[in-house]
């Protein structure tokens, strides 16, 4: 059973940076496409970054140029570097496979961006 744990959230001022990490209990990052997701208050969960098994990354226009996804396969860790944060980036951030697998949803980590 793979578990995904996402520490690293917090409170940051607009324009600031934060890096999130996601550690897996098994070696999945080199095999599966993985994603970072966020759920803002009152909104549906959305994908904010993805990385394929071969390392190809993709981010939506809403975070392009600000968010970078990366991974350390040896450490079974996925990262999300977030720069130039905006209040609308506030939400709970999760990692999961892409497309997501229900049993892999962890508790997520809260990111709050103050204006």
């Amino acid at each position: 059973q793979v578990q995904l744990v996402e520490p690293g959230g917090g409170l940051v001022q607009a324009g600031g940076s934060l890096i999130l990490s996601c550690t897996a209990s098994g070696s999945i990052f080199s095999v599966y496409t993985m994603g970072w997701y966020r759920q803002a208050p009152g909104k549906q969960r959305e994908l904010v970054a993805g990385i394929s098994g071969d390392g190809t990354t993709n981010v939506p226009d809403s975070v392009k140029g600000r968010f970078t996804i990366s991974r350390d396969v040896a450490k079974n860790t996925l990262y999300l570097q977030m720069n130039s944060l905006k209040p609308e980036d506030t939400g709970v951030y999760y990692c999961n496979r892409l497309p997501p697998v229900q049993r892999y949803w962890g508790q997520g980590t809260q990111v709050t961006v103050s204006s």
Side-chain angles (χ1 to χ4, degrees):
Q1 178 79 13
V2 174
Q3 290 184 320
L4 300 173
V5 180
E6 310 105 336
L11 173 65
V12 63
Q13 287 189 332
S17 298
L18 206 58
I19 184 164
L20 306 182
S21 63
C22 167
T23 301
S25 57
S27 300
I28 64 172
F29 295 147
S30 62
V31 177
Y32 299 110
T33 296
M34 299 296 298
W36 279 100
Y37 303 79
R38 74 180 173 202
Q39 187 164 21
K43 295 186 177 180
Q44 289 191 338
R45 199 172 293 174
E46 62 175 338
L47 177 71
V48 296
I51 184 167
S52 65
D54 66 1
T56 302
T57 63
N58 195 21
V59 295
D61 288 343
S62 59
V63 303
K64 190 164 290 183
R66 300 190 299 119
F67 288 15
T68 303
I69 185 172
S70 62
R71 65 184 184 181
D72 186 329
V73 173
K75 295 182 179 180
N76 294 331
T77 302
L78 191 71
Y79 301 98
L80 183 67
Q81 174 71 51
M82 304 185 293
N83 299 324
S84 302
L85 283 162
K86 304 176 181 180
E88 52 263 43
D89 294 320
T90 293
V92 180
Y93 284 70
Y94 306 83
C95 66
N96 202 322
R97 284 174 54 179
L98 176 62
V101 175
Q102 183 61 37
R103 66 181 183 272
Y104 286 172
W105 288 119
Q107 291 187 336
T109 187
Q110 176 71 44
V111 172
T112 303
V113 184
S114 63
S115 58

